[in-house]
Structures are given as C-alpha cells and as structure tokens.
PDB file of all heavy atoms in Angstrom:
ATOM      1  N   VAL A   1       0.813  -1.223  -0.014  1.00  0.00           N
ATOM      2  CA  VAL A   1      -0.002   0.076   0.005  1.00  0.00           C
ATOM      3  C   VAL A   1       0.915   1.225   0.015  1.00  0.00           C
ATOM      4  O   VAL A   1       1.994   1.186   0.632  1.00  0.00           O
ATOM      5  CB  VAL A   1      -0.987   0.101   1.209  1.00  0.00           C
ATOM      6  CG1 VAL A   1      -0.163  -0.034   2.553  1.00  0.00           C
ATOM      7  CG2 VAL A   1      -1.885   1.203   1.189  1.00  0.00           C
ATOM      8  N   ARG A   2       0.455   2.274  -0.697  1.00  0.00           N
ATOM      9  CA  ARG A   2       1.262   3.506  -0.698  1.00  0.00           C
ATOM     10  C   ARG A   2       1.400   4.081   0.686  1.00  0.00           C
ATOM     11  O   ARG A   2       0.499   3.848   1.537  1.00  0.00           O
ATOM     12  CB  ARG A   2       0.498   4.524  -1.645  1.00  0.00           C
ATOM     13  CG  ARG A   2      -0.950   4.914  -1.245  1.00  0.00           C
ATOM     14  CD  ARG A   2      -1.580   5.752  -2.229  1.00  0.00           C
ATOM     15  NE  ARG A   2      -2.990   5.983  -1.948  1.00  0.00           N
ATOM     16  CZ  ARG A   2      -3.453   7.082  -1.272  1.00  0.00           C
ATOM     17  NH1 ARG A   2      -2.633   8.038  -0.959  1.00  0.00           N
ATOM     18  NH2 ARG A   2      -4.791   7.215  -1.161  1.00  0.00           N
ATOM     19  N   ARG A   3       2.477   4.695   0.998  1.00  0.00           N
ATOM     20  CA  ARG A   3       2.813   5.218   2.277  1.00  0.00           C
ATOM     21  C   ARG A   3       3.056   4.151   3.317  1.00  0.00           C
ATOM     22  O   ARG A   3       3.126   4.438   4.503  1.00  0.00           O
ATOM     23  CB  ARG A   3       1.570   6.149   2.771  1.00  0.00           C
ATOM     24  CG  ARG A   3       1.248   7.259   1.812  1.00  0.00           C
ATOM     25  CD  ARG A   3       0.111   8.052   2.413  1.00  0.00           C
ATOM     26  NE  ARG A   3      -0.459   8.921   1.488  1.00  0.00           N
ATOM     27  CZ  ARG A   3      -1.487   9.715   1.619  1.00  0.00           C
ATOM     28  NH1 ARG A   3      -2.118   9.782   2.857  1.00  0.00           N
ATOM     29  NH2 ARG A   3      -2.042  10.430   0.592  1.00  0.00           N
ATOM     30  N   GLY A   4       3.177   2.857   2.939  1.00  0.00           N
ATOM     31  CA  GLY A   4       3.209   1.744   3.870  1.00  0.00           C
ATOM     32  C   GLY A   4       4.606   1.418   4.411  1.00  0.00           C
ATOM     33  O   GLY A   4       4.763   0.698   5.293  1.00  0.00           O
ATOM     34  N   HIS A   5       5.641   2.014   3.836  1.00  0.00           N
ATOM     35  CA  HIS A   5       7.071   1.652   4.164  1.00  0.00           C
ATOM     36  C   HIS A   5       7.386   1.955   5.584  1.00  0.00           C
ATOM     37  O   HIS A   5       7.952   1.116   6.369  1.00  0.00           O
ATOM     38  CB  HIS A   5       8.128   2.192   3.132  1.00  0.00           C
ATOM     39  CG  HIS A   5       7.970   1.804   1.758  1.00  0.00           C
ATOM     40  ND1 HIS A   5       7.034   2.217   0.890  1.00  0.00           N
ATOM     41  CD2 HIS A   5       8.603   0.893   1.090  1.00  0.00           C
ATOM     42  CE1 HIS A   5       7.175   1.668  -0.284  1.00  0.00           C
ATOM     43  NE2 HIS A   5       8.215   0.805  -0.170  1.00  0.00           N
ATOM     44  N   LEU A   6       7.037   3.209   6.000  1.00  0.00           N
ATOM     45  CA  LEU A   6       7.425   3.632   7.318  1.00  0.00           C
ATOM     46  C   LEU A   6       6.655   2.910   8.362  1.00  0.00           C
ATOM     47  O   LEU A   6       7.253   2.458   9.426  1.00  0.00           O
ATOM     48  CB  LEU A   6       7.184   5.115   7.507  1.00  0.00           C
ATOM     49  CG  LEU A   6       7.753   5.809   8.709  1.00  0.00           C
ATOM     50  CD1 LEU A   6       9.209   5.694   8.765  1.00  0.00           C
ATOM     51  CD2 LEU A   6       7.333   7.207   8.816  1.00  0.00           C
ATOM     52  N   GLY A   7       5.464   2.628   8.253  1.00  0.00           N
ATOM     53  CA  GLY A   7       4.678   1.806   9.200  1.00  0.00           C
ATOM     54  C   GLY A   7       5.083   0.345   9.272  1.00  0.00           C
ATOM     55  O   GLY A   7       5.132  -0.229  10.305  1.00  0.00           O
ATOM     56  N   THR A   8       5.575  -0.168   8.066  1.00  0.00           N
ATOM     57  CA  THR A   8       6.056  -1.513   8.167  1.00  0.00           C
ATOM     58  C   THR A   8       7.355  -1.580   8.944  1.00  0.00           C
ATOM     59  O   THR A   8       7.556  -2.536   9.748  1.00  0.00           O
ATOM     60  CB  THR A   8       6.399  -2.012   6.661  1.00  0.00           C
ATOM     61  OG1 THR A   8       5.106  -1.959   5.923  1.00  0.00           O
ATOM     62  CG2 THR A   8       6.908  -3.434   6.721  1.00  0.00           C
ATOM     63  N   ALA A   9       8.182  -0.495   8.767  1.00  0.00           N
ATOM     64  CA  ALA A   9       9.377  -0.542   9.572  1.00  0.00           C
ATOM     65  C   ALA A   9       9.166  -0.274  11.021  1.00  0.00           C
ATOM     66  O   ALA A   9       9.767  -0.908  11.907  1.00  0.00           O
ATOM     67  CB  ALA A   9      10.261   0.703   8.960  1.00  0.00           C
ATOM     68  N   ALA A  10       8.149   0.501  11.279  1.00  0.00           N
ATOM     69  CA  ALA A  10       7.759   0.692  12.727  1.00  0.00           C
ATOM     70  C   ALA A  10       7.256  -0.591  13.379  1.00  0.00           C
ATOM     71  O   ALA A  10       7.618  -0.890  14.505  1.00  0.00           O
ATOM     72  CB  ALA A  10       6.721   1.754  12.864  1.00  0.00           C
ATOM     73  N   ILE A  11       6.499  -1.423  12.611  1.00  0.00           N
ATOM     74  CA  ILE A  11       6.050  -2.732  13.152  1.00  0.00           C
ATOM     75  C   ILE A  11       7.234  -3.670  13.382  1.00  0.00           C
ATOM     76  O   ILE A  11       7.267  -4.324  14.357  1.00  0.00           O
ATOM     77  CB  ILE A  11       5.019  -3.309  12.215  1.00  0.00           C
ATOM     78  CG1 ILE A  11       3.710  -2.431  12.367  1.00  0.00           C
ATOM     79  CG2 ILE A  11       4.765  -4.726  12.543  1.00  0.00           C
ATOM     80  CD1 ILE A  11       2.608  -2.874  11.290  1.00  0.00           C
ATOM     81  N   TRP A  12       8.167  -3.668  12.435  1.00  0.00           N
ATOM     82  CA  TRP A  12       9.293  -4.521  12.520  1.00  0.00           C
ATOM     83  C   TRP A  12      10.092  -4.201  13.777  1.00  0.00           C
ATOM     84  O   TRP A  12      10.592  -4.986  14.538  1.00  0.00           O
ATOM     85  CB  TRP A  12      10.206  -4.369  11.230  1.00  0.00           C
ATOM     86  CG  TRP A  12      11.362  -5.241  11.217  1.00  0.00           C
ATOM     87  CD1 TRP A  12      11.396  -6.504  10.906  1.00  0.00           C
ATOM     88  CD2 TRP A  12      12.681  -4.876  11.644  1.00  0.00           C
ATOM     89  NE1 TRP A  12      12.722  -7.045  11.052  1.00  0.00           N
ATOM     90  CE2 TRP A  12      13.566  -6.017  11.515  1.00  0.00           C
ATOM     91  CE3 TRP A  12      13.309  -3.671  12.069  1.00  0.00           C
ATOM     92  CZ2 TRP A  12      14.898  -5.994  11.759  1.00  0.00           C
ATOM     93  CZ3 TRP A  12      14.618  -3.641  12.318  1.00  0.00           C
ATOM     94  CH2 TRP A  12      15.429  -4.779  12.227  1.00  0.00           C
ATOM     95  N   VAL A  13      10.330  -2.854  13.999  1.00  0.00           N
ATOM     96  CA  VAL A  13      11.100  -2.390  15.168  1.00  0.00           C
ATOM     97  C   VAL A  13      10.369  -2.776  16.435  1.00  0.00           C
ATOM     98  O   VAL A  13      10.924  -3.215  17.480  1.00  0.00           O
ATOM     99  CB  VAL A  13      11.409  -0.888  15.059  1.00  0.00           C
ATOM    100  CG1 VAL A  13      12.041  -0.485  16.383  1.00  0.00           C
ATOM    101  CG2 VAL A  13      12.359  -0.649  13.887  1.00  0.00           C
ATOM    102  N   SER A  14       9.042  -2.581  16.401  1.00  0.00           N
ATOM    103  CA  SER A  14       8.302  -2.886  17.661  1.00  0.00           C
ATOM    104  C   SER A  14       8.300  -4.410  17.985  1.00  0.00           C
ATOM    105  O   SER A  14       8.390  -4.775  19.162  1.00  0.00           O
ATOM    106  CB  SER A  14       6.782  -2.385  17.422  1.00  0.00           C
ATOM    107  OG  SER A  14       6.134  -3.216  16.539  1.00  0.00           O
ATOM    108  N   ASP A  15       8.247  -5.162  16.974  1.00  0.00           N
ATOM    109  CA  ASP A  15       8.370  -6.704  17.140  1.00  0.00           C
ATOM    110  C   ASP A  15       9.796  -7.008  17.732  1.00  0.00           C
ATOM    111  O   ASP A  15       9.933  -7.888  18.593  1.00  0.00           O
ATOM    112  CB  ASP A  15       8.175  -7.392  15.881  1.00  0.00           C
ATOM    113  CG  ASP A  15       6.767  -7.408  15.416  1.00  0.00           C
ATOM    114  OD1 ASP A  15       5.849  -7.038  16.244  1.00  0.00           O
ATOM    115  OD2 ASP A  15       6.439  -7.711  14.257  1.00  0.00           O
ATOM    116  N   LEU A  16      10.848  -6.306  17.208  1.00  0.00           N
ATOM    117  CA  LEU A  16      12.182  -6.575  17.647  1.00  0.00           C
ATOM    118  C   LEU A  16      12.256  -6.192  19.098  1.00  0.00           C
ATOM    119  O   LEU A  16      13.020  -6.820  19.897  1.00  0.00           O
ATOM    120  CB  LEU A  16      13.150  -5.811  16.796  1.00  0.00           C
ATOM    121  CG  LEU A  16      14.614  -6.000  16.954  1.00  0.00           C
ATOM    122  CD1 LEU A  16      15.090  -7.436  16.604  1.00  0.00           C
ATOM    123  CD2 LEU A  16      15.480  -4.993  16.223  1.00  0.00           C
ATOM    124  N   LEU A  17      11.684  -5.058  19.532  1.00  0.00           N
ATOM    125  CA  LEU A  17      11.828  -4.573  20.929  1.00  0.00           C
ATOM    126  C   LEU A  17      10.792  -5.151  21.828  1.00  0.00           C
ATOM    127  O   LEU A  17      10.825  -4.893  23.029  1.00  0.00           O
ATOM    128  CB  LEU A  17      11.686  -3.026  20.952  1.00  0.00           C
ATOM    129  CG  LEU A  17      12.846  -2.306  20.105  1.00  0.00           C
ATOM    130  CD1 LEU A  17      12.614  -0.866  20.156  1.00  0.00           C
ATOM    131  CD2 LEU A  17      14.198  -2.631  20.640  1.00  0.00           C
ATOM    132  N   GLY A  18       9.688  -5.820  21.295  1.00  0.00           N
ATOM    133  CA  GLY A  18       8.635  -6.320  22.120  1.00  0.00           C
ATOM    134  C   GLY A  18       7.787  -5.222  22.579  1.00  0.00           C
ATOM    135  O   GLY A  18       7.298  -5.151  23.726  1.00  0.00           O
ATOM    136  N   SER A  19       7.588  -4.122  21.730  1.00  0.00           N
ATOM    137  CA  SER A  19       6.888  -2.898  22.202  1.00  0.00           C
ATOM    138  C   SER A  19       5.685  -2.703  21.236  1.00  0.00           C
ATOM    139  O   SER A  19       5.420  -3.340  20.287  1.00  0.00           O
ATOM    140  CB  SER A  19       7.856  -1.738  22.063  1.00  0.00           C
ATOM    141  OG  SER A  19       7.203  -0.510  22.444  1.00  0.00           O
ATOM    142  N   ASN A  20       4.848  -1.595  21.596  1.00  0.00           N
ATOM    143  CA  ASN A  20       3.775  -1.205  20.797  1.00  0.00           C
ATOM    144  C   ASN A  20       4.302  -0.368  19.681  1.00  0.00           C
ATOM    145  O   ASN A  20       5.055   0.560  19.870  1.00  0.00           O
ATOM    146  CB  ASN A  20       2.837  -0.450  21.769  1.00  0.00           C
ATOM    147  CG  ASN A  20       1.481  -0.148  21.043  1.00  0.00           C
ATOM    148  OD1 ASN A  20       1.428   0.343  19.944  1.00  0.00           O
ATOM    149  ND2 ASN A  20       0.331  -0.321  21.805  1.00  0.00           N
ATOM    150  N   PRO A  21       3.659  -0.512  18.439  1.00  0.00           N
ATOM    151  CA  PRO A  21       4.209   0.267  17.284  1.00  0.00           C
ATOM    152  C   PRO A  21       3.921   1.714  17.532  1.00  0.00           C
ATOM    153  O   PRO A  21       4.625   2.583  17.051  1.00  0.00           O
ATOM    154  CB  PRO A  21       3.316  -0.237  16.106  1.00  0.00           C
ATOM    155  CG  PRO A  21       2.983  -1.664  16.501  1.00  0.00           C
ATOM    156  CD  PRO A  21       2.847  -1.626  18.018  1.00  0.00           C
ATOM    157  N   LEU A  22       2.888   2.082  18.323  1.00  0.00           N
ATOM    158  CA  LEU A  22       2.619   3.478  18.661  1.00  0.00           C
ATOM    159  C   LEU A  22       3.720   4.131  19.317  1.00  0.00           C
ATOM    160  O   LEU A  22       4.181   5.319  19.106  1.00  0.00           O
ATOM    161  CB  LEU A  22       1.377   3.651  19.510  1.00  0.00           C
ATOM    162  CG  LEU A  22       1.002   4.988  19.993  1.00  0.00           C
ATOM    163  CD1 LEU A  22       0.738   5.912  18.849  1.00  0.00           C
ATOM    164  CD2 LEU A  22      -0.160   4.972  20.944  1.00  0.00           C
ATOM    165  N   TYR A  23       4.448   3.410  20.245  1.00  0.00           N
ATOM    166  CA  TYR A  23       5.604   3.968  21.046  1.00  0.00           C
ATOM    167  C   TYR A  23       6.786   4.119  20.003  1.00  0.00           C
ATOM    168  O   TYR A  23       7.491   5.172  20.258  1.00  0.00           O
ATOM    169  CB  TYR A  23       6.055   3.016  22.168  1.00  0.00           C
ATOM    170  CG  TYR A  23       4.919   2.738  23.103  1.00  0.00           C
ATOM    171  CD1 TYR A  23       4.867   1.586  23.912  1.00  0.00           C
ATOM    172  CD2 TYR A  23       3.873   3.658  23.322  1.00  0.00           C
ATOM    173  CE1 TYR A  23       3.880   1.368  24.853  1.00  0.00           C
ATOM    174  CE2 TYR A  23       2.909   3.485  24.310  1.00  0.00           C
ATOM    175  CZ  TYR A  23       2.877   2.288  24.967  1.00  0.00           C
ATOM    176  OH  TYR A  23       1.891   1.973  25.811  1.00  0.00           O
ATOM    177  N   VAL A  24       6.965   3.300  19.115  1.00  0.00           N
ATOM    178  CA  VAL A  24       8.106   3.444  18.140  1.00  0.00           C
ATOM    179  C   VAL A  24       7.865   4.648  17.346  1.00  0.00           C
ATOM    180  O   VAL A  24       8.721   5.458  17.056  1.00  0.00           O
ATOM    181  CB  VAL A  24       8.185   2.198  17.245  1.00  0.00           C
ATOM    182  CG1 VAL A  24       9.167   2.374  16.102  1.00  0.00           C
ATOM    183  CG2 VAL A  24       8.484   0.932  18.044  1.00  0.00           C
ATOM    184  N   VAL A  25       6.682   4.911  16.802  1.00  0.00           N
ATOM    185  CA  VAL A  25       6.296   6.046  16.125  1.00  0.00           C
ATOM    186  C   VAL A  25       6.495   7.336  16.874  1.00  0.00           C
ATOM    187  O   VAL A  25       7.120   8.306  16.365  1.00  0.00           O
ATOM    188  CB  VAL A  25       4.826   5.985  15.538  1.00  0.00           C
ATOM    189  CG1 VAL A  25       4.311   7.402  15.025  1.00  0.00           C
ATOM    190  CG2 VAL A  25       4.697   4.953  14.463  1.00  0.00           C
ATOM    191  N   ALA A  26       6.049   7.396  18.147  1.00  0.00           N
ATOM    192  CA  ALA A  26       6.236   8.554  18.924  1.00  0.00           C
ATOM    193  C   ALA A  26       7.677   8.868  19.127  1.00  0.00           C
ATOM    194  O   ALA A  26       8.149  10.017  19.113  1.00  0.00           O
ATOM    195  CB  ALA A  26       5.434   8.377  20.327  1.00  0.00           C
ATOM    196  N   ALA A  27       8.488   7.857  19.384  1.00  0.00           N
ATOM    197  CA  ALA A  27       9.989   7.980  19.558  1.00  0.00           C
ATOM    198  C   ALA A  27      10.588   8.606  18.297  1.00  0.00           C
ATOM    199  O   ALA A  27      11.370   9.405  18.301  1.00  0.00           O
ATOM    200  CB  ALA A  27      10.649   6.688  19.998  1.00  0.00           C
ATOM    201  N   PHE A  28      10.181   8.055  17.116  1.00  0.00           N
ATOM    202  CA  PHE A  28      10.639   8.532  15.865  1.00  0.00           C
ATOM    203  C   PHE A  28      10.244   9.972  15.664  1.00  0.00           C
ATOM    204  O   PHE A  28      11.083  10.817  15.235  1.00  0.00           O
ATOM    205  CB  PHE A  28      10.093   7.604  14.738  1.00  0.00           C
ATOM    206  CG  PHE A  28      10.474   8.117  13.356  1.00  0.00           C
ATOM    207  CD1 PHE A  28      11.753   7.835  12.847  1.00  0.00           C
ATOM    208  CD2 PHE A  28       9.596   8.764  12.521  1.00  0.00           C
ATOM    209  CE1 PHE A  28      12.177   8.258  11.631  1.00  0.00           C
ATOM    210  CE2 PHE A  28       9.956   9.200  11.272  1.00  0.00           C
ATOM    211  CZ  PHE A  28      11.277   8.927  10.741  1.00  0.00           C
ATOM    212  N   GLN A  29       8.982  10.374  16.037  1.00  0.00           N
ATOM    213  CA  GLN A  29       8.554  11.712  15.873  1.00  0.00           C
ATOM    214  C   GLN A  29       9.412  12.610  16.809  1.00  0.00           C
ATOM    215  O   GLN A  29       9.902  13.744  16.319  1.00  0.00           O
ATOM    216  CB  GLN A  29       7.128  11.891  16.217  1.00  0.00           C
ATOM    217  CG  GLN A  29       6.179  11.332  15.191  1.00  0.00           C
ATOM    218  CD  GLN A  29       4.710  11.384  15.592  1.00  0.00           C
ATOM    219  OE1 GLN A  29       4.416  11.170  16.735  1.00  0.00           O
ATOM    220  NE2 GLN A  29       3.860  11.570  14.569  1.00  0.00           N
ATOM    221  N   PHE A  30       9.718  12.136  18.008  1.00  0.00           N
ATOM    222  CA  PHE A  30      10.457  12.966  18.878  1.00  0.00           C
ATOM    223  C   PHE A  30      11.887  13.237  18.310  1.00  0.00           C
ATOM    224  O   PHE A  30      12.487  14.330  18.368  1.00  0.00           O
ATOM    225  CB  PHE A  30      10.616  12.312  20.265  1.00  0.00           C
ATOM    226  CG  PHE A  30      11.406  13.092  21.246  1.00  0.00           C
ATOM    227  CD1 PHE A  30      10.844  14.114  21.928  1.00  0.00           C
ATOM    228  CD2 PHE A  30      12.770  12.800  21.570  1.00  0.00           C
ATOM    229  CE1 PHE A  30      11.598  14.866  22.937  1.00  0.00           C
ATOM    230  CE2 PHE A  30      13.495  13.485  22.456  1.00  0.00           C
ATOM    231  CZ  PHE A  30      12.888  14.531  23.187  1.00  0.00           C
ATOM    232  N   VAL A  31      12.615  12.217  17.779  1.00  0.00           N
ATOM    233  CA  VAL A  31      13.915  12.271  17.146  1.00  0.00           C
ATOM    234  C   VAL A  31      13.894  13.289  15.999  1.00  0.00           C
ATOM    235  O   VAL A  31      14.679  14.194  15.810  1.00  0.00           O
ATOM    236  CB  VAL A  31      14.454  10.970  16.709  1.00  0.00           C
ATOM    237  CG1 VAL A  31      15.746  11.138  15.903  1.00  0.00           C
ATOM    238  CG2 VAL A  31      14.694  10.077  17.894  1.00  0.00           C
ATOM    239  N   MET A  32      12.832  13.239  15.139  1.00  0.00           N
ATOM    240  CA  MET A  32      12.679  14.141  13.973  1.00  0.00           C
ATOM    241  C   MET A  32      12.513  15.584  14.460  1.00  0.00           C
ATOM    242  O   MET A  32      13.046  16.525  13.836  1.00  0.00           O
ATOM    243  CB  MET A  32      11.493  13.689  13.197  1.00  0.00           C
ATOM    244  CG  MET A  32      11.711  12.439  12.349  1.00  0.00           C
ATOM    245  SD  MET A  32      13.126  12.548  11.120  1.00  0.00           S
ATOM    246  CE  MET A  32      14.279  11.530  12.003  1.00  0.00           C
TER     247      MET A  32
END
C-alpha cells in the first residue's frame, strides 16, 4: 500500500523490541 514503508518499519522495530508500534512512532517523531 502507498505510504506503507514507514509503518512496516515501525512494526518490525516494535516486534524486535517487544513494544507497541505506537511507541516506536512517537519516539521517531521525537527524534525528528
């Protein structure tokens, strides 16, 4: 799906960390 790359990466990182994808996105937004 268009625009899906970043969300896919966020889910991959969340699975790696055992975390909620929402937290990964919020952390990414904070860094940006």
